[in-house]
Amino acid sequence: MTRLIYLFIATLGILNLQSATAQETYDYPDKDLWYDTTIYGGHTCAANIVTGNGSEGFDVEEIINSEMGEQMMYKIKNELVIYGGDNWDHPEMTQYWADRGVIKDIYNVEDRTHAWITYMPDYMEKSGNKKYPVVFSAHGGGGTLFESENHGFVHLCHEKGFIVVAPENENTQTIYSAEKLGDYLNEMEEMGYPIDRTRVYYTGMSMGGVASMYIGLTKHDVVAAVAAHSSPRMLDRSTSGMFEALLTEDMYNTGTQVPMWVAVGEYDSGQLPLANGIIEGFNSWLKMNGCSPASSTADNMLGLTADDVSVEKIYDKEYTFAKYYNKDGVMMNEFIGVEDHPHWVTPNFAESAWEFMSKFSRAKNGELIINE
């Protein structure tokens, strides 16, 4: 279900979240902003919206009263507290990024279903000799380009040295997103953006993650690696519905190695532990990447075996990491489960996905290159 639908549900009645029984255990300066209804005319707030994105058993107070909640609010407050999701082109947000050394340029702003935004660190020179990686950040169905901006890649691009592209693509329509990929790269080159065609990466949340997986299989000559958040159900070919015909066995059989990172929350639409259909689809990806297959297990949050399974506390929540290596010992796939998390990107989405993806590039002949 999309964020837009959840927002509608939330407007039907404000949850009395401030009187929740959960004991406050972690405090931070912006904590009260979770309950701020200013930009929604008193109808709802960020806490209600995030609540709507959690499946049965999700307690938003567990997130709010945690370091995880503090980190989430840092990323989402401009969108969900200060300006509102539709105001991704607000001049103050362009200045916000300029103050942080990132140049934000918006294209096709008059046609908001086909608008797209670039974010380029200010030390990069257009038409310069040095080339830089490009990371596409696609929002979920019903989201906006503001969501794409909040995924964390824009926050990271100045430090790590890459350009971010946030495409609207008719509400992240899957096939259209794949068709438009080459057009964006061509237009950017024509405008002098110093893009490195060997280091193009596609990422997204929910429907953006669906688009990322689809592009990984259909545009494997263009992208070096992909990262999908909150989208593992896309891998399940055993069920009917909107994803049934998108990732087919023929695509895997005719594909090439495509490193793929995927993360999902404990309360993300009931997707954990992973269903057998998802595991079977994931095994097709592992086979394509030269990795051994996974199987179902009750030994971890994901419900998935791996070459290496580990648990780590990040922002005071448990992350379960499942890693898969090819015969040369290169990690080609990473699957991550996050404790207490809803259908939403984790605050360290960009850092974790970039660390994984940046190890790969794509030669002009389509060969995957492992970066030392």
Side-chain angles (χ1 to χ4, degrees):
M1 191 177 293
T2 67
R3 178 182 296 186
L4 184 63
I5 293 174
Y6 286 133
L7 177 57
F8 173 73
I9 291 173
T11 61
L12 296 180
I14 301 175
L15 299 177
N16 188 17
L17 293 170
Q18 296 191 71
S19 63
T21 58
Q23 182 179 2
E24 294 187 4
T25 57
Y26 187 86
D27 201 12
Y28 46 95
D30 288 337
K31 189 172 181 179
D32 288 345
L33 293 182
W34 281 99
Y35 312 104
D36 191 312
T37 63
T38 303
I39 66 171
Y40 297 107
H43 295 295
T44 192
C45 58
N48 283 353
I49 296 170
V50 173
T51 298
N53 279 43
S55 53
E56 183 177 358
F58 174 61
D59 183 356
V60 73
E61 292 292 316
E62 289 289 337
I63 291 290
I64 293 174
N65 295 315
S66 70
E67 186 181 359
M68 176 75 86
E70 180 179 21
Q71 295 297 323
M72 285 178 65
M73 177 51 64
Y74 166 67
K75 294 282 176 63
I76 68 177
K77 66 181 179 181
N78 287 322
E79 175 190 3
L80 298 185
V81 179
I82 298 175
Y83 298 107
D86 290 331
N87 290 318
W88 43 263
D89 56 340
H90 197 291
E92 291 181 9
M93 283 308 303
T94 299
Q95 187 60 48
Y96 175 91
W97 290 114
D99 292 342
R100 288 155 180 79
V102 177
I103 301 168
K104 176 179 179 178
D105 286 317
I106 305 173
Y107 300 96
N108 291 348
V109 68
E110 70 284 351
D111 181 1
R112 296 176 86 83
T113 62
H114 298 97
W116 56 291
I117 307 175
T118 63
Y119 304 84
M120 188 176 77
D122 57 7
Y123 54 79
M124 297 180 183
E125 296 181 3
K126 285 192 175 182
S127 303
N129 292 326
K130 187 172 182 179
K131 305 300 181 184
Y132 297 90
V134 182
V135 176
F136 283 80
S137 178
H139 68 72
T144 72
L145 293 176
F146 223 145
E147 179 205 317
S148 299
E149 187 168 296
N150 291 341
H151 285 173
F153 295 99
V154 183
H155 301 75
L156 192 64
C157 69
H158 192 278
E159 173 191 348
K160 297 298 184 180
F162 58 81
I163 300 167
V164 179
V165 180
E168 177 53 40
N169 286 344
E170 298 180 353
N171 193 27
T172 315
Q173 203 279 334
T174 306
I175 296 175
Y176 184 73
S177 295
E179 293 172 346
K180 284 291 294 179
L181 176 58
D183 293 340
Y184 292 126
L185 294 172
N186 290 339
E187 285 188 56
M188 290 176 71
E189 281 188 329
E190 291 172 4
M191 290 187 287
Y193 281 88
I195 64 175
D196 183 349
R197 288 274 195 159
T198 71
R199 293 182 292 170
V200 176
Y201 309 99
Y202 215 100
T203 74
M205 181 263 183
S206 193
M207 285 301 292
V210 170
S212 299
M213 291 184 187
Y214 182 80
I215 285 169
L217 289 188
T218 60
K219 298 295 180 181
H220 47 75
D221 57 332
V222 179
V223 296
V226 297
H229 206 300
S230 308
S231 315
R233 191 167 285 130
M234 169 66 163
L235 295 165
D236 190 350
R237 299 192 305 278
S238 67
T239 58
S240 60
M242 63 190 302
F243 303 146
E244 183 179 19
L246 283 176
L247 297 188
T248 67
E249 195 63 27
D250 285 343
M251 288 181 181
Y252 291 108
N253 292 336
T254 58
T256 186
Q257 295 182 94
V258 183
M260 192 263 284
W261 178 104
V262 59
V264 61
E266 181 181 11
Y267 296 108
D268 187 337
S269 310
Q271 294 182 89
L272 291 183
L274 298 168
N276 286 333
I278 295 176
I279 296 174
E280 290 173 7
F282 185 52
N283 279 337
S284 294
W285 206 299
L286 291 175
K287 180 181 178 181
M288 181 180 70
N289 280 344
C291 302
S292 299
S295 59
S296 178
T297 181
D299 292 341
N300 57 63
M301 181 194 305
L302 287 166
L304 190 66
T305 62
D307 297 327
D308 178 29
V309 178
S310 61
V311 177
E312 181 181 350
K313 282 272 189 177
I314 302 176
Y315 303 136
D316 62 22
K317 299 298 179 182
E318 284 193 355
Y319 281 59
T320 299
F321 296 89
K323 301 178 180 181
Y324 304 85
Y325 302 88
N326 66 12
K327 61 181 178 59
D328 297 319
V330 177
M331 185 171 65
M332 298 294 293
N333 288 79
E334 185 171 24
F335 218 127
I336 302 171
V338 184
E339 178 189 25
D340 289 337
H341 207 70
H343 189 68
W344 207 275
V345 298
T346 51
N348 63 323
F349 171 31
E351 289 84 352
S352 181
W354 173 252
E355 181 182 4
F356 174 84
M357 296 186 303
S358 61
K359 294 181 174 67
F360 305 97
S361 57
R362 184 76 65 183
K364 290 183 179 180
N365 65 2
E367 178 185 357
L368 185 70
I369 299 172
I370 313 301
N371 302 324
E372 297 295 336

